[in-house]
Amino acid sequence: LQKSLNETFGADKYSEARKEVLTNMFSRPMQMALYFCTGVLEDETLFRHYALNVPFYTHFTSPIRRYADIIVHRLLSASLGASSPIKMEKEAIQRQADHCNDRKMASKRVQELSADLFFAIFVRVR
């Protein structure tokens, strides 16, 4: 698939943009990760990371990047005893997670619509 895509991209000034758009379109069916508070879920199998095959998993990036990552850093720090516990109930943490998931999905949708627009323009020009 990668070889045939590379041949499709061409070598003109839009080849990198075509590559990015098509790669994005092919990765859409992949399930997005969701933020959740483990304290509100009873089914521990939901904590599992399928691809890594580990029963418990958490993920975060730099805390300067996303609010959800700040919360994860604070919770991990408190659970390791490196800082005092944060003063949020688990339901409040879950509401924050839900809000972050909603914003992430909206952002992804805008990105997809932008790619669709570029693809439509590309098809029209070709």
Side-chain angles (χ1 to χ4, degrees):
L1 179 62
Q2 187 65 36
K3 182 180 177 187
S4 64
L5 283 176
N6 284 335
E7 292 170 1
T8 304
F9 298 143
D12 63 357
K13 64 181 181 179
Y14 297 113
S15 62
E16 278 302 309
R18 280 194 299 277
K19 179 180 178 182
E20 190 170 327
V21 169
L22 291 173
T23 300
N24 184 312
M25 290 175 75
F26 287 126
S27 66
R28 273 189 201 169
M30 297 171 66
Q31 182 181 4
M32 285 185 60
L34 295 174
Y35 294 108
F36 62 90
C37 177
T38 59
V40 300
L41 297 179
E42 294 180 16
D43 185 1
E44 287 190 2
T45 62
L46 296 174
F47 307 167
R48 186 173 192 279
H49 191 287
Y50 177 79
L52 296 176
N53 195 26
V54 292
F56 297 101
Y57 177 81
T58 190
H59 173 82
F60 54 89
T61 61
S62 168
I64 63 170
R65 192 161 168 223
R66 291 187 290 241
Y67 179 69
D69 298 316
I70 293 171
I71 298 296
V72 172
H73 274 254
R74 290 177 182 168
L75 290 168
L76 285 173
S77 179
S79 70
L80 295 171
S83 65
S84 58
I86 64 171
K87 294 178 171 78
M88 287 178 75
E89 297 292 324
K90 59 187 176 185
E91 292 79 13
I93 294 170
Q94 184 58 51
R95 282 193 301 275
Q96 289 294 324
D98 290 339
H99 178 73
C100 289
N101 290 332
D102 290 344
R103 297 295 83 213
K104 185 169 66 167
M105 293 295 264
S107 173
K108 182 170 176 51
R109 184 69 182 134
V110 168
Q111 179 184 7
E112 290 172 351
L113 290 171
S114 174
D116 290 346
L117 177 62
F118 181 83
F119 186 69
I121 292 168
F122 163 72
V123 169
R124 184 178 215 176
V125 169
R126 291 287 176 170

